[in-house]
Amino acid sequence: MLDTTALNQQRNFFEGHAAIWLFGYGSLIWKADFAYLERRPAYIHGWERRFWQGSHDHRGTPEAPGRVATLIRAKDSICHGMAYRIAPEVLAPLDVREKNGYLREKVPLTFMDEKGNGTEQSEGLIYLASDDNPAFLGDAPLDEIAQQIANAHGPSGPNRDYLVNLAVALRELGAKDAHIFALEQQLSQF
Ligand code: SIN
């Protein structure tokens, strides 16, 4: 299985910074099992969330992979999530958590105020699983994606929980995400 841990340790875009912003758009929104100094709802521009990344190590197995979130480029779209201000040391265990195909990328992010409007901007990090990583599954009919999610289980638990927790967290953020909410609806059939 691919392991991006060592590659990510070389992707040190914030050398010398005492704290950096990490933007979570998938499980990092609802499973923040790492130390953070502060967290703020935020979005990134030019991206859309998709359940197109295979999961062999968390929500599935090598024989029966699950599906988890990644991002695709979409010029006029925004993707909502949660930004965490973290000490750079926190990235080491996150590199291990995200090792199945995700690479650190530097992106501009925009923080949200209480009324849901974009406020100031900052540079941040995302973990991105691009279409050239070996665990990438890509697009499929929505009902097939939902069925795969309904059937998959891995060391971190049922794949279904990942999707449901994400949909709940996005609603709490007041975020619209057609792909996620349509998938959640499809999942309820299985
Ligand atoms: C993220 O949540 O930002 C990355 C993908 C994941 O860990 O689910």
Side-chain angles (χ1 to χ4, degrees):
M1 197 177 81
L2 169 73
D3 184 335
T4 56
T5 311
L7 268 177
N8 273 325
Q9 273 149 27
Q10 288 151 27
R11 298 171 75 81
N12 221 333
F13 301 120
F14 295 95
E15 195 86 70
H17 288 222
I20 59 180
W21 284 101
L22 170 71
F23 177 82
Y25 60 84
S27 69
L28 291 175
I29 299 181
W30 54 268
K31 191 176 179 188
D33 59 355
F34 50 88
Y36 56 85
L37 306 163
E38 181 188 354
R39 74 172 172 184
R40 296 175 69 180
Y43 65 79
I44 53 176
H45 185 256
W47 297 93
E48 281 181 17
R49 196 174 356 244
R50 290 286 186 282
F51 268 74
W52 287 7
Q53 173 67 0
S55 178
H56 304 91
D57 57 344
H58 283 294
R59 300 286 165 175
T61 61
E63 298 71 38
R67 276 183 177 259
V68 290
T70 188
L71 299 169
I72 58 165
R73 290 190 191 269
K75 199 161 116 331
D76 298 320
S77 299
I78 59 173
C79 175
H80 287 272
M82 187 63 82
Y84 302 88
R85 198 161 65 84
I86 58 169
E89 304 82 76
V90 172
L91 291 176
L94 286 174
D95 289 340
V96 175
R97 169 168 162 179
E98 303 295 328
K99 69 182 187 312
N100 193 27
Y102 291 87
L103 284 176
R104 297 184 195 174
E105 298 292 343
K106 190 175 165 190
V107 292
L109 52 99
T110 306
F111 300 109
M112 306 278 290
D113 66 15
E114 270 115 61
K115 295 194 186 111
N117 299 314
T119 57
E120 72 283 22
Q121 295 199 328
S122 180
E123 292 290 334
L125 267 189
I126 54 171
Y127 282 94
L128 175 68
S130 53
D131 60 5
D132 55 358
N133 87 85
F136 190 80
L137 294 175
D139 200 6
L142 220 53
D143 60 328
E144 284 176 25
I145 296 182
Q147 186 150 32
Q148 185 175 353
I149 291 172
N151 293 335
H153 296 258
S156 298
N159 201 175
R160 173 187 291 274
D161 291 356
Y162 181 113
L163 172 55
V164 171
N165 290 343
L166 181 56
V168 169
L170 289 175
R171 271 193 289 275
E172 278 169 15
L173 285 172
K176 293 195 182 74
D177 191 317
H179 176 73
I180 302 303
F181 295 139
L183 258 182
E184 183 193 32
Q185 177 117 41
Q186 292 278 333
L187 185 72
S188 61
Q189 300 183 86
F190 300 111

